[in-house]
Structure formats: structure tokens, C-alpha cells
Amino acid sequence: MLAATDAAAQEGTGAAGPALSRALEPKPLPFNAKSLNGLSEKLVVSHWENNYAGAVKALNTVRERLRSQLASQDPPYVYNDLKREHLIRTGSVVLHELYFANLGGDGKAPAQLRSTIARSFGTFDAWESEFRKIAQGLGGGSGWVVLGYNEHLQLLENYWLADHAHNPPHTRPVLVMDMYEHAYHMDFGAAAAKYIDAFFANVNWDEVAKRAAV
């Protein structure tokens, strides 16, 4: 998912593999920010520039510091503090990319995908009702709602994520919704329910269908 260049290769050092040396670049929005229904261009651009691109920048900084600290004689817990930030920033980058990629559509799920989701939830409406309920519970706070395919259980489930760092294991994200206030407050203030409606009106179900293929 990440657009990247190999920083070590650029510097000609060859000192580390990409797990330590890769520098990331923000991915452009996959839609025209003016085109969304009920989500303003100002909100979307601010979200992309300040939160997503900011997370990419922060992740690059953390990666750079990890490289410099790898040979340090500092206690290991100093390095692990950076690894914690590495986990958080990585989660933010990946979840934001998935979030923006599943926007820009008309909000109309095709029949085949509705049937796929219904196989796990009984009906498509039952799935949507639970997804919205989780989102409403996060309103005014922070976190993510994710419809994911659990590869281990071989089951689509909705997940509540408190932050960027905690995700269900062995699960492929299918539909990702940002419920941090930065995703909606500029347009809706505390009215998170209105943002949830606007999110559903703009879901790119073609992208969701690609992720949901089982």
C-alpha cells in the first residue's frame, strides 16, 4: 500500500535493508476532493495533509531514529520506546491509506458484495447496523471501525479499534472508517451521526469488493 523509495540506496550506502532504510511518501488522494457528497473539500484536504501526510512524515522520522539507535549503547527500553512509536505511526499511515482508498464512490453496494457480507452477518442490513453502532459509540472520542476478513476464522467481522496500534490478528481490512474527530469535526462538529451518513454515501464499493474477495 505504501509508495516508497529506498533511502539507503539513494545515499549509496547500502547499509541496511528496506525494513530499516525505506523512506515513505504520501499517496495522493484517489479521488477529487471536491467530488465527495456531504464531505467538504476543506475537511478532506486538511485530513489528508495534516493527519495522513503528517503520519508519513512522523514515521520517516521514527525510522531514521531507529537506524541511528540500532548500534547505540543505550538501554534496550530506549529503543523500544521508538518501536512503540513505529507501531503507532505505521498503523496510522496504513489505516489512513485504506480509508481514503475506500472513499470516492457512490455509496451503492453491488448485489454480489451484499450477498458476500450477508453470508457472515445474516443480512447486509444487519452488518451495516452493527458497523454504524460501533461508529456511533466512538463518536466524540477516537478510533476506527473496520470490516475485516479474518483469515484464521475465515469470517467477515466488524472490529472496534481504539487506536492505530491494535488490530485483530491475521485479518485483512475490507472497509475502514476513521472515527477520530479530525475526520469530521470541521464539517459536523459533535454531530458524528451526520458524518457516518456522509461516509456511507461516499463508499467506493468497487474497492471494498476487491479487498473482500475470498
Side-chain angles (χ1 to χ4, degrees):
M1 294 292 297
L2 299 171
T5 57
D6 191 321
Q10 289 179 342
E11 296 167 5
T13 64
L20 295 173
S21 65
R22 181 166 291 175
L24 310 176
E25 299 176 357
K27 296 185 70 173
L29 286 169
F31 51 80
N32 185 334
K34 297 179 181 179
S35 68
L36 297 189
N37 178 18
L39 297 173
S40 71
E41 178 185 12
K42 183 178 180 181
L43 170 68
V44 172
V45 171
S46 175
H47 192 175
W48 186 93
E49 289 181 346
N50 295 302
N51 302 102
Y52 164 59
V56 173
K57 182 178 180 181
L59 181 54
N60 284 335
T61 297
V62 170
R63 284 178 175 277
E64 182 179 352
R65 292 186 180 179
L66 282 168
R67 289 195 300 273
S68 68
Q69 284 289 318
L70 190 58
S72 170
Q73 297 304 306
D74 290 338
Y77 62 77
V78 174
Y79 193 79
N80 276 6
D81 283 344
L82 285 170
K83 289 303 292 185
R84 177 179 180 275
E85 285 299 318
H86 177 225
L87 178 64
I88 292 169
R89 304 300 177 175
T90 299
S92 181
V93 169
V94 172
L95 287 168
H96 274 103
E97 289 189 357
L98 291 167
Y99 169 75
F100 287 120
N102 61 214
L103 289 178
D106 62 7
K108 298 176 181 177
Q112 184 174 353
L113 181 57
R114 292 174 69 93
S115 296
T116 297
I117 292 174
R119 284 200 295 271
S120 287
F121 290 88
T123 66
F124 182 87
D125 289 345
W127 161 75
E128 183 176 332
S129 177
E130 190 195 32
F131 193 98
R132 284 176 175 268
K133 196 177 196 70
I134 298 168
Q136 289 163 0
L138 285 167
S142 60
W144 300 81
V145 189
V146 174
L147 168 65
Y149 182 73
N150 190 302
E151 303 278 1
H152 185 78
L153 301 177
Q154 298 185 337
L155 184 68
L156 282 168
E157 290 189 301
N158 287 322
Y159 294 99
W160 168 91
L161 276 60
D163 53 35
H164 310 309
H166 298 92
N167 299 278
H170 205 191
T171 295
R172 181 192 340 138
V174 173
L175 177 66
V176 173
M177 183 181 189
D178 191 341
M179 283 304 300
Y180 280 79
E181 285 195 332
H182 63 242
Y184 62 88
H185 199 272
M186 190 180 294
D187 281 358
F188 303 104
K194 293 182 179 179
Y195 161 67
I196 296 168
D197 289 340
F199 171 84
F200 270 92
N202 289 282
V203 172
N204 180 350
W205 287 105
D206 289 340
E207 175 65 22
V208 174
K210 292 176 186 177
R211 301 175 188 171
V214 295

